[in-house]
Amino acid sequence: MTKISNLTEGEILSPLLKFAMPVLLAMLLQVIYGAVDLIIVGQFGAATDVSAVATGSQVMMTITSIINGFAMGVTILIGQKIGQGRFKEAGNVVGSGICIFSVLAAIITAVMLIFAVPISRLMHAPVEAFDDTVLYVYICSAGTIFIIAYNVICGIFRGIGDSKTPLITVAIASVANIAGDVFLVAGFDMSVAGVAIATISAQAISVILSIIIIKKRGLPFEFSKSSIRFHKGITSQILKYGAPIALQDGLVNLSFLAITTIINSLGVIASAGVGVAEKLAGLIMLVPSAFAQSVSAFVAQNYGANKYTRAKKTLAYGISVSLCFGVVMAYFTFFHGNLISGIFSKDIAVINASWDYMKAYAIDVLLTSFMFSMTGFFNGCGKTTFVMFQGIFGAFCIRIPLSYIISKAAPASLFYIGLATPSSTFVQVIFCLVYFIIVSKEFKKEKYTESGVYI
C-alpha cells in the first residue's frame, strides 16, 4: 500500500528538496515532452509547421492549466485532511474529484471539438498555418480525457506526499512521445498531425500506467467504488479551492494567448520565434514552478495541522532555492539564449526572434522565484481567491495592455513586447507581500498548535 508522507514533522529543507526534485524532473520531462514536438517538426518541416504547432499547443496549454487548477483543489484538500488525521474523508475527496472531472472532461471535449476553427481564427493563426493549427487542436481535443485523468491522478499523489510516482509515469510517457514524433513525423512525414497523435498517445500511456500503479499499491486511506460520488461538503470544498486556481490559470494562459495573437499579426517568423520562446520559458521557469507545487503540498498538511510557523519557514526555503537557480537561468537566457533556440529551428530569423523575446523571461525568472513560492503558500492555506485575483489583475490590467501598446510602436521589438510579462509579475509580487503580512496577522490569532505548542 502507498504510504502517506508526513510533512508536518522534522526538518523542512531536506524533505522539501526531496519532494521537489521528482516534481522538478517530472516538469522537465513535460517541457521536453512539448519541446520535442517543436524540435522534430522544426527539423523536418517548415516555419509554417512550427507556427501551427506553437499556436495549437498554446491553446491546449490553456486547457491543461485550467484542469491542473481544478486538480490543485484535490491536492490541497487531501493534504489538509491528512494533516487533520481525517483519512476517511481523504478517500471521499478522491471520489468527489473523479465525479467532478468526469463531467469536466465531457464539457471541455465537446467545446473544443465544436469551436476549434473559431478558436484558431481568434488566435490570428497565420493564413499559411491556419489549417494545420485547426488540425492540431482537433486531434489534441479528442484526447482531452487523458489530459484530465493524468492531472487528477498527479493531484492525488501530491496530496499524499508522493511526488515520485508521477515522475515515473511521465518519464515513460515522454519516451513514448519522442518515439511517436520520430516515427510519425520523421518516418511518415505526417508533420503537424503526427505531432498531435504522438502527444495524445503518450498521455494515454501515462494514465494507464498510473491506474495500474494505484491498483497494485492501493491508496493509503479507505477508498472504494462507493466513494465515487458527489459528497456534499467535500465537492463544494474542492470547487472552492480549485475553481479560483483554475480560473486564474485559465485566464492567465488566456492572456498569453492574447499576446500570441498580437504577435501572430506580426508574421510567421515572429509567430514561430515566440512559439519557440514560450516552449523554452517552461524550461527557464522549471525550478520556481516546481517549488510552487511543492510548497503547496507542504503548507497544506502543516496548515491542516495548525503548524503555521512551519508553513512560513517552508515558504522561505522555497523562495531561497528558487532564487539561486533563477539567477543562473537569467544569466544564461539573456546572454546565450540563441544557443538553445537553435535546437528548435534551422531558420536564423526564427532563432533571433526567439532569443529576443526570451530576454524578457530572463528578467521574469528572478521575480517568479518570489511569486510562485508565495502563490504556492497561499494555495496550501486555501487562500485561492487571492491567488486568482492577483493573477487575473496582472494578466488583464498589465500584461495584455502593455503588450498591445508596445506592439504598435515602430519598430515593434519582441524584447520590449516581452517586457510586459516581468512588469506584470513585479506588481503581483507586491500584492503577494502585502497579503502575506495580512495572513501572518491571522496566524498570530491562532496562538497554539494542536499539540499545545506556542507559536
Side-chain angles (χ1 to χ4, degrees), residues 42-110:
Q43 296 301 319
F44 294 93
T48 53
D49 297 323
V50 175
S51 176
V53 173
T55 302
S57 61
Q58 279 286 90
V59 173
M60 295 312 301
M61 191 182 299
T62 300
I63 299 302
T64 302
S65 69
I66 293 172
I67 295 165
N68 193 51
F70 275 110
M72 276 299 297
V74 174
T75 299
I76 294 167
L77 197 54
I78 288 177
Q80 290 184 357
K81 296 300 182 186
I82 289 173
Q84 295 163 359
R86 299 176 180 177
F87 299 108
K88 183 176 180 180
E89 290 185 22
N92 291 339
V93 172
V94 175
S96 292
I98 291 173
C99 294
I100 292 171
F101 286 99
S102 295
V103 173
L104 193 62
I107 294 173
I108 292 178
T109 300

Side-chain angles (χ1 to χ4, degrees), residues 25 43 61 86 127 168 199-200 265 314 370 381 410 431 446:
L25 292 175
Q43 296 301 319
M61 191 182 299
R86 299 176 180 177
V127 175
I168 295 170
T199 297
I200 293 305
S265 65
T314 300
F370 292 90
C381 294
F431 282 166
E446 299 289 339

Side-chain angles (χ1 to χ4, degrees), residues 57-220:
S57 61
Q58 279 286 90
V59 173
M60 295 312 301
M61 191 182 299
T62 300
I63 299 302
T64 302
S65 69
I66 293 172
I67 295 165
N68 193 51
F70 275 110
M72 276 299 297
V74 174
T75 299
I76 294 167
L77 197 54
I78 288 177
Q80 290 184 357
K81 296 300 182 186
I82 289 173
Q84 295 163 359
R86 299 176 180 177
F87 299 108
K88 183 176 180 180
E89 290 185 22
N92 291 339
V93 172
V94 175
S96 292
I98 291 173
C99 294
I100 292 171
F101 286 99
S102 295
V103 173
L104 193 62
I107 294 173
I108 292 178
T109 300
V111 169
M112 292 303 296
L113 289 175
I114 293 170
F115 294 102
V117 173
I119 288 172
S120 299
R121 191 174 292 121
L122 189 64
M123 288 291 297
H124 288 185
V127 175
E128 308 94 314
F130 185 82
D131 290 342
D132 281 336
T133 301
V134 173
L135 179 62
Y136 184 92
V137 174
Y138 269 138
I139 295 172
C140 289
S141 296
T144 300
I145 182 64
F146 300 118
I147 298 173
I148 290 178
Y150 173 75
N151 280 278
V152 174
I153 291 170
C154 285
I156 294 170
F157 282 124
R158 286 194 299 267
I160 62 177
D162 179 4
S163 58
K164 294 180 181 178
T165 301
L167 170 62
I168 295 170
T169 58
V170 77
I172 296 172
S174 296
V175 173
N177 183 58
I178 294 171
D181 279 338
V182 172
F183 183 72
L184 297 174
V185 179
F188 286 86
D189 196 26
M190 291 182 68
S191 190
V192 175
V195 167
I197 293 170
T199 297
I200 293 305
S201 299
Q203 285 277 14
I205 289 171
S206 68
V207 171
I208 292 170
L209 284 172
S210 297
I211 292 173
I212 292 172
I213 290 171
I214 290 175
K215 283 194 171 185
K216 184 176 179 180
R217 295 182 184 173
L219 291 172

